[in-house]
Structure formats: C-alpha cells, structure tokens
Amino acid sequence: MKTKKIILSGIGLIGLSLLFSCGNNEISSDSMSKDAASKVYVEPGKYDEFYMFTSGGFSGQVGVYGLPSGRLFKTIPVFSVDAEKGYGFSEETKPLLNTSHGFIPWGDSHHPALSKTDGNADGRWLFINENNTPRIARIDLKTFKTVEVIEIPNSSGNHPSPYPTENTEYLVAGTRFSSPLFGETDVPISSYKEKFQGTISLISVDKKSGRLDVASQILVPPFDFDKNRAGKGASRDWSFFTCYNTEKSNTMKEANASQNDKDFILAVNWKKAEEYVKSGKGKKVASKYCHNVYDEKTHTATSTVKNSTVLLDPKDCPGLVYFMPCPKSPHGVDVSPDGKYIVASGKLAALIPVFSYDKMMSAIQNKKFDGNIDGIPVLQYNEVIAGEVEKPGLGPLHTEFDDKGYAYTSMFLSSEIVKWKLGSWKVVDRIPVHYSIGHLLVPGGDSKNPYGKYVIALNKITKDRYLPTGPELTQSAQLIDISGEKMKMLLDFPTIGEPHYAQAIKADVLMNNSTKIFKLEDNKHPYAVKSEKETKVVRNGNIVHVYISTIRSHFAPDNIEGIKVGDVVYWHVTNLEQDWDVPHGFAVKGALNSELLVMPGETSTLKWEPKEPGVYPMYCTDFCSALHQEMQGYVRVSPANANVPLTWSLNNVSNKK
C-alpha cells in the first residue's frame, strides 16, 4: 500500500486520471443486472418514463432523450445556428442570437435547469446558461423552442448558472472569470488583485410569462465562481456558490490557484438583495446588454438593447453575503431535498464537506467570523460544518440525492459514483463508470422530492466503449439502477456535444401540455397568409416580398418570374397544415443560409439574394407525403436591367403585379 501511494504521488493528477479512466475496461459482473435489458427496453409504441434534457456543451444546443431507453428525440437549438430547423438563419430567429458584441451564432451551453414550483419541477420552462458570451436562455416546454435569450452584463464566463430559486422567483448566476468591470477597464493583467472584480446576478422570472430581467447584481471579490444551487425549504431564501482561486492568481492557475488549503462557498441571501434594491441601496451603473424575446403569436423574435443595471455592494448591505471556508478547489455545490445541508465537492480534497444551514444561521447570528474579505464576513469552518464524508474517492465533483436519504457523488479521477448516507456521512456503495465522469443526474435529484429510481453518469471519455470514429470519440451517459441497496449498471448510450449537466422530469408532466399545431387564426405574423388566395409577390424597389404557402404537396405560387439580379428577396413561408407533425421545409438554390423548417400554422422567412440570371429551383426539404418529391417550383431571375414583368402562378393560373 505504501508503494502504491508513492507511485500515485509521482505521476500527478493527469497520470492519475489516465490510470483510473483507462484501467477499468470491464464493468464487474457484480455491478451488472441479469435483467438489465428488460429494465431499459421500451417496446414499440410505448413511451419512456422520463424526459432527459442534456446540455450540448460546445455545440450550444440541448439534447432531449427518453429514459430508460436512452433514445435521442430532439436537438433544441439555443445558442448556435441549426441548419436542420433554420434556427439563426430565418429572419424571425436571427434576433435571438444578438448580443452587445453583435450577432454571435455559437455558444457554450452547460447547465439546463427546469423551472420549479415549491421546489419541484413544474414542466413550464427549461433554462440553460451560455458560458462564453454570458447569456441565459428560456425554452418553452410546450413547444420545445427557445423563446428568450438574455445577455448578462458585467460578467465573464457565465458558468455558475442558471439555477432557479424554490419557486423560480430568480435564476442566480455568477462570473467564472473575474475582470476589470467598472471605471478603467484597459489595465495590465498583472493588476488582477487590485483592478479585477466579479459579480453575482439575480435574473427575475415573471410568474406568468416567464419573461426574464436582470433584477440586480452583487459585487464580489476577483475569485473564480464555479457552480451554484439555490436553497429549498428552510434555506429557500439563499443561493450557494463554490469559488476557487482565492489566491487571486492570473496565470498558471492549475498550480497557482490551488495553493490554499481552503477556498469558499459563497452564501447569497437573494431575499435580502430584493429588499436592498427596493429600499434604494443599489447603485445604477451603465451596462449594455441585449434582451431577445420570441413572440409565438407573430412567430418572430425581437432584440432590445438595455443600458443599465442595479449594483449592490456588500460593504453597504450587511447580511447579504457570507463566505464559508471549503476544502479544496471546490467545484460542485448541492443542497439536500430538505434544504438543511449544503454539500460541496473539493476537487483536490480527500473528503466531502457537508455544511449545515442551521449552523450557518447560528454562526451568523452569533458573529462567529474569521474576518472579512471586501466587506463579506468569513464564517468559521468548525461553526458551520455538519460532517465530512471521509475517503469517498478521488476527484469529487457533483452530488445529487434520492428519496431514501442517500446522496450520490461523481468522482472524476477514480471514474466512479459513490453512494453515501446523509447524517452518518458514511459511504455505503460505489460503482465504476466509463470514463472520467463529470456531472451526474438523479431525476428530480435537485428538488424537494427526487425520484429515487436511476442515477445517470455523464462521462467525458469513451475509449474502448464504442466503434471508433476517428480521433474524436463520442461522449456518453450511463443509466444506473438505484432502486435497491446496491447500484446496478443498466445501459450506456452516446450523447451530443459535450454533456455537462442534465435534468430529467416525469414524462406525464409534459406530454399533455405539448403543442401540436399553431392555429392559423392566431398567426399574427405580418407576412402570414391564411389561404392560397392570399399568396402574392410584392416589389418595393429592389426589395421583393414573396407571400408563399405550403400544403401537401405543393407551394403556392410555384412559378415566379420578374425577379432581377440585385434584388433582395424575402420568402415568407406559411405552412397551412393544421395537423400534428406535418412540418414543411423550404429551400431555394443559391441561398447563403439554410433551409426553413416551418411548423403547421407557422410563418418563417428566408432571405435570398440571387447573383446571376437563371431559373432556380425551390423545393420542400422535409418529407411530407407520398408526393413529397413533386413538391417543388421555379423562380426566374433576369438581369438587373431586364423588363420582365413580376408574375406568379400555380397550375398555370397566373397573377401579375
């Protein structure tokens, strides 16, 4: 045993990671259930029990899977353009990708979060953060469409985000990267300790519409804030953040930001923040950011530029925020279903610290402080700690909970999930996963009432697990049965992008509210048509608007002449179908963007600028009927100085401007 310790200390963290991630090529037979296949099999025509929403990481999207089958149902475009659905390419959805930096067609999505009522997922919305250009998006779970994106100002690296409070009063977010924010911003990087700052943002959520707003921001020291979770039950008024780099290092952070034995959990009282804003304690600061909202009546998004936020300084707001010391380089932070315990995961710690909410409040009341940092009191570790899970494994990252009083923690370096008991802090089971697990998910595991049936491992590396696909291999999820005393591996399946976190919800919460069509009579798009009789082509100088309809299996009109080189043509495509699952696609040769995919009753617009004379085909890109191949048409483009009249027709019945 002594020899093994010497070897491990010599190879360092990278070698240790490889040793554990690549050395367990087989799952032990003890871990495997003999009837695993029957437990994940969903027979044809039957539904999965859960929806699972995964982040797409560097794809900027959200994946929708079924559990227990692991089947991929849909990819929801959020922060990145998606040619399959025309997202970010259609004129209606382009505004959703506007930022203060301009149009950004890519994002790095990390943490999906379901809206909550009384601490449980209510099935209304799914929120997700964007790390690179700080943003939060709202997805409507009736339509599975992105309907809002708000940029977060005064932020760099929106990583600890966007976890909702107990009744989705707020989404709470923080800065992963501190930076010079107010006043002089062009400063030497070496002035990090003096000139850099971070912020915590409270994003309010309208109870009825879900509409987002930057309610306030809190100034914090230039640490790196990593993850957060909101409290529940007794701790409902609080949100908890992990932070590292308390050394305030600006270079070689893998070494220089890992010197202190303890970093911190930041406890934020969002209720106090709300009170301080109402009492006028906040300072209005210049803050340029974009707020983009999609209107499901007009099928169109609009982008608004905002120019200020309200900033709270802890020096002026006692009781607003507190630090709790936490070993060491903590990553995940999670709150037990009853809200009494806050579990942190120090990546470099040999234990899992568990903090008591009651002891935290007692320490605050009795002023058990070890000084303060930038006006933020530091609570004494021994006064707030409830217990320590000893020897859990190597590289703890994240914890979720079941309905039986157990917690499950992912171990990145030793590639395993560890099960331990709340209260006794004792490890009771562990299971290997393949490989290098990051987040994990228990359906409802972040709520007041978890579904203690499965835990899902979200793994970064899949060497030897699947057919090779060149230098890069897929990431994976592994489904594990936790209904009994011992964890049992059931299934693994590939996942899109780089899966960070995931959320799962009972299927019956969403199914009955799912939108099947958009009613034509409710379509308020300014270029919509309600019947083929309303279709037309209108010229205004070199701008041409084509009011075109689709129905199985033709366009109206399907022949257009009189378009000229130099024209800017807007194809406004209305799908006249009023039947579930009958979208139509639209594409025209020479378009520099993508196709459109238009849902029943919806209108969507494609911008097209033909460069040369010719006859260009247009066609339906989405299989819609036995005569799908026949669903096509032509547009004639003439030279810029031509005198060809503007005409359009269907079945040789012509109309003329």
Side-chain angles (χ1 to χ4, degrees):
M1 196 64 188
K2 290 182 180 178
T3 304
K4 188 174 183 181
K5 285 183 178 179
I6 293 171
I7 293 172
L8 293 182
S9 65
I11 64 175
L13 288 178
I14 295 175
L16 187 62
S17 176
L18 292 174
L19 175 65
F20 278 97
S21 66
C22 298
N24 300 326
N25 289 336
E26 300 296 333
I27 301 174
S28 66
S29 59
D30 292 338
S31 302
M32 292 297 291
S33 171
K34 293 179 181 179
D35 61 346
S38 66
K39 289 188 175 182
V40 301
Y41 178 66
V42 179
E43 63 181 281
K46 301 296 184 181
Y47 295 131
D48 278 278
E49 186 178 0
F50 295 94
Y51 286 96
M52 181 175 79
F53 299 94
T54 68
S55 75
F58 42 68
S59 77
Q61 319 291 36
V62 167
V64 184
Y65 295 82
L67 295 178
S69 72
R71 297 177 295 188
L72 175 64
F73 297 143
K74 189 180 183 69
T75 301
I76 304 173
V78 185
F79 299 112
S80 298
V81 295
D82 183 353
E84 178 192 356
K85 302 171 186 66
Y87 181 87
F89 291 108
S90 73
E91 297 304 298
E92 288 80 5
T93 58
K94 284 179 181 178
L96 286 169
L97 299 178
N98 282 349
T99 76
S100 62
H101 306 277
F103 179 81
I104 296 184
W106 171 83
D108 183 17
S109 61
H110 279 225
H111 306 129
L114 291 159
S115 58
K116 289 182 170 58
T117 298
D118 193 26
N120 295 305
D122 57 24
R124 301 179 72 188
W125 307 298
L126 180 76
F127 308 99
I128 189 163
N129 65 322
E130 203 275 281
N131 190 40
N132 184 62
T133 307
R135 289 175 280 181
I136 291 175
R138 176 170 60 92
I139 296 168
D140 188 332
L141 291 180
K142 297 191 303 296
T143 61
F144 284 66
K145 284 190 172 189
T146 302
V147 294
E148 187 171 11
V149 178
I150 191 166
E151 189 178 3
I152 302 179
N154 309 314
S155 176
S156 296
N158 176 41
H159 189 259
S161 169
Y163 296 104
T165 54
E166 187 174 82
N167 287 290
T168 320
E169 298 95 341
Y170 294 96
L171 307 177
V172 191
T175 48
R176 175 180 170 186
F177 313 118
S178 292
S179 58
L181 293 176
F182 305 104
E184 186 182 8
T185 55
D186 179 16
V187 300
I189 299 172
S190 59
S191 67
Y192 186 101
K193 293 181 179 180
E194 298 77 30
K195 299 286 183 126
F196 286 48
Q197 295 170 305
T199 59
I200 302 299
S201 299
L202 298 180
I203 313 299
S204 63
V205 185
D206 184 85
K207 290 183 178 180
K208 291 185 178 179
S209 68
R211 194 171 177 118
L212 307 176
D213 194 17
V214 181
S216 63
Q217 296 187 296
I218 302 168
L219 196 63
V220 289
F223 303 154
D224 290 21
F225 293 85
D226 203 351
K227 287 299 302 307
N228 81 294
R229 287 283 193 188
K232 54 180 79 79
S235 59
R236 69 173 63 90
D237 294 347
W238 294 80
S239 187
F240 303 94
F241 287 79
T242 51
C243 57
Y244 60 98
N245 192 27
T246 53
E247 299 84 353
K248 301 182 183 178
S249 170
N250 60 275
T251 184
M252 195 68 175
K253 287 190 178 183
E254 64 178 293
N256 295 326
S258 303
Q259 300 297 309
N260 294 337
D261 287 334
K262 288 184 174 67
D263 293 288
F264 294 115
I265 287 179
L266 178 73
V268 179
N269 189 327
W270 62 262
K271 198 75 172 178
K272 281 276 188 187
E274 193 174 64
E275 293 169 4
Y276 278 127
V277 170
K278 288 180 180 177
S279 67
K281 282 283 188 180
K283 176 184 177 183
K284 194 172 184 179
V285 294
S287 307
K288 184 179 179 182
Y289 63 102
C290 285
H291 186 194
N292 313 323
V293 181
Y294 184 84
D295 186 326
E296 289 188 344
K297 295 295 185 182
T298 64
H299 306 286
T300 302
T302 55
S303 181
T304 303
V305 177
K306 297 191 173 182
N307 294 294
S308 66
T309 54
V310 175
L311 185 69
L312 297 171
D313 190 330
K315 295 186 185 72
D316 305 322
C317 303
L320 179 60
V321 287
Y322 296 90
F323 279 125
M324 294 192 291
C326 178
K328 174 182 184 185
S329 293
H331 182 60
V333 60
D334 301 277
V335 180
S336 61
D338 58 11
K340 293 182 179 180
Y341 298 112
I342 302 101
V343 181
S345 296
K347 301 190 296 292
L348 305 181
L351 51 80
I352 299 173
V354 183
F355 299 89
S356 164
Y357 171 73
D358 289 340
K359 293 184 75 173
M360 182 190 84
M361 295 305 294
S362 177
I364 291 171
Q365 183 177 356
N366 295 311
K367 301 188 185 307
K368 299 291 186 177
F369 302 149
D370 275 335
N372 74 84
I373 300 173
D374 294 350
I376 302 173
V378 178
L379 303 177
Q380 296 174 10
Y381 181 75
N382 290 334
E383 294 293 330
V384 294
I385 196 72
E388 297 172 340
V389 182
E390 296 183 352
K391 298 180 181 179
L394 297 174
L397 290 187
H398 299 280
T399 300
E400 293 219 342
F401 307 90
D402 68 11
D403 55 346
K404 304 174 188 69
Y406 292 100
Y408 302 79
T409 301
S410 58
M411 299 289 169
F412 178 77
L413 292 178
S414 50
S415 290
E416 61 183 333
I417 291 176
V418 172
K419 177 181 178 181
W420 52 275
K421 183 70 174 176
L422 283 164
S424 74
W425 324 122
K426 299 295 184 183
V427 173
V428 298
D429 194 21
R430 59 181 74 236
I431 188 170
V433 295
H434 301 273
Y435 307 105
S436 296
I437 180 175
H439 282 268
L440 80 174
L441 157 72
V442 174
D446 67 328
S447 73
K448 292 172 82 171
N449 295 286
Y451 302 102
K453 191 169 186 179
Y454 304 115
V455 63
I456 298 94
L458 299 168
N459 304 323
K460 306 295 186 185
I461 297 173
T462 57
K463 289 177 181 177
D464 308 320
R465 302 297 297 167
Y466 301 110
L467 290 172
T469 52
E472 183 196 19
L473 303 178
T474 183
Q475 290 86 26
S476 77
Q478 291 186 299
L479 182 74
I480 298 165
D481 184 350
I482 58 171
S483 59
E485 184 179 343
K486 292 290 185 180
M487 295 182 281
K488 296 179 181 180
M489 185 70 69
L490 299 179
L491 176 73
D492 60 11
F493 54 94
T495 51
I496 65 167
E498 185 197 0
H500 290 264
Y501 184 47
Q503 290 260 270
I505 187 171
K506 291 280 285 187
D508 54 15
V509 177
L510 298 187
M511 284 178 56
N512 295 333
N513 294 324
S514 188
T515 296
K516 295 185 175 181
I517 64 169
F518 296 104
K519 293 181 180 179
L520 268 176
E521 60 266 30
D522 293 336
N523 187 334
K524 306 300 182 185
H525 193 289
Y527 294 97
V529 296
K530 306 299 176 69
S531 70
E532 291 184 357
K533 292 180 181 180
E534 298 177 17
T535 60
K536 58 186 176 181
V537 183
V538 177
R539 174 182 289 282
N540 182 8
N542 72 325
I543 305 297
V544 178
H545 293 280
V546 181
Y547 298 68
I548 186 171
S549 67
T550 68
I551 200 164
R552 287 166 287 185
S553 298
H554 64 267
F555 295 103
D558 64 4
N559 283 196
I560 299 172
E561 300 190 21
I563 304 298
K564 301 176 184 180
V565 173
D567 284 346
V568 179
V569 182
Y570 292 93
W571 300 89
H572 307 290
V573 184
T574 301
N575 183 348
L576 297 180
E577 305 282 358
Q578 291 289 268
D579 191 10
W580 190 22
D581 195 27
V582 190
H584 286 294
F586 176 82
V588 59
K589 183 179 178 181
L592 300 180
N593 34 35
S594 78
E595 60 135 22
L596 297 176
L597 191 62
V598 191
M599 298 300 113
E602 185 181 37
T603 300
S604 190
T605 302
L606 183 72
K607 182 180 179 181
W608 182 59
E609 299 181 62
K611 304 300 182 184
E612 297 179 357
V615 176
Y616 293 78
M618 57 184 182
Y619 68 102
C620 177
T621 54
D622 190 85
F623 186 88
C624 55
S625 71
L627 297 176
H628 166 71
Q629 289 294 96
E630 286 78 7
M631 191 168 175
Q632 60 189 56
Y634 295 97
V635 54
R636 175 185 172 189
V637 177
S638 301
N641 58 358
N643 293 317
V644 178
L646 187 62
T647 61
W648 60 97
S649 64
L650 174 66
N651 201 24
N652 294 321
V653 177
S654 182
N655 293 279
K656 186 175 181 181
K657 176 68 176 176

